[in-house]
Amino acid sequence: MKSTNKSDVIEIVNVLESTQLHTIIPSGLIDTHTAIASLVNSLSDLPTYPSSIYVDLEGVNLSRHGSISILQIHVLPTSKTYLVDVHILKEEAFSTSASNGHTLKSILESEKIPKAFFDIRNDSDALYSLYGIKVASIWDIQLGARAE
């Protein structure tokens, strides 16, 4: 992991500070193949600076020894938040292809698409151990660092 430029961190903080919770429109629960394919399509061609995709995972004992229940994705340019039901979809949450050929796994592993997490450690451990996903191009907001 290498440290980010101070200006990068300031830019991310400024963007987050300007986001108001009352303007964020929840976009529903993603628990079908059709919904996950539509979500993956919507994650393509987003601006890359600052990061457009903000991710958090919830689960039981979130790590290699636990499970992932929900994957939350906030898309900054659209102010939409998605809740992917990994408990229901299991592997298909990450392997279902969109019409553009992308999957949630390919987006999480893409070095060209920056994603922001708050404390990536347990999320990354669970994604890799449970689903073989090697996250790339991650901005860890807690650490103020970018994982290569």
Side-chain angles (χ1 to χ4, degrees), residues 63-84:
S63 68
R64 69 186 65 211
H65 305 292
S67 64
I68 300 171
S69 302
I70 297 286
L71 182 137
Q72 302 168 62
I73 299 175
H74 178 71
V75 181
L76 191 63
T78 63
S79 293
K80 291 186 178 181
T81 303
Y82 302 92
L83 302 175
V84 178

Side-chain angles (χ1 to χ4, degrees), residues 3-140:
S3 294
T4 60
N5 297 330
K6 188 174 183 176
S7 63
D8 291 340
V9 173
I10 290 170
E11 177 67 23
I12 291 172
V13 169
N14 288 337
V15 168
L16 290 174
E17 285 178 343
S18 68
T19 302
Q20 297 182 19
L21 292 178
H22 71 295
T23 63
I24 297 174
I25 303 163
S27 300
L29 184 64
I30 306 297
D31 61 355
T32 66
H33 300 109
T34 304
I36 194 75
S38 177
L39 170 61
V40 171
N41 265 334
S42 74
L43 298 177
S44 299
D45 301 321
L46 292 169
T48 58
Y49 188 84
S51 179
S52 292
I53 301 172
Y54 292 76
V55 182
D56 187 35
L57 279 73
E58 303 298 334
V60 177
N61 190 22
L62 187 62
S63 68
R64 69 186 65 211
H65 305 292
S67 64
I68 300 171
S69 302
I70 297 286
L71 182 137
Q72 302 168 62
I73 299 175
H74 178 71
V75 181
L76 191 63
T78 63
S79 293
K80 291 186 178 181
T81 303
Y82 302 92
L83 302 175
V84 178
D85 192 334
V86 179
H87 179 74
I88 296 290
L89 293 171
K90 302 193 182 344
E91 171 66 30
E92 293 174 338
F94 304 104
S95 63
T96 300
S97 294
S99 61
N100 60 13
H102 293 285
T103 63
L104 196 50
K105 179 179 180 176
S106 70
I107 289 171
L108 291 169
E109 292 183 333
S110 174
E111 294 183 14
K112 295 179 181 178
I113 303 171
K115 284 82 56 187
F117 281 74
F118 183 84
D119 192 359
I120 185 71
R121 295 174 294 179
N122 286 342
D123 293 359
S124 176
D125 184 38
L127 286 167
Y128 179 73
S129 299
L130 302 173
Y131 297 100
I133 297 171
K134 299 176 186 177
V135 294
S137 193
I138 300 299
W139 290 92
D140 191 317

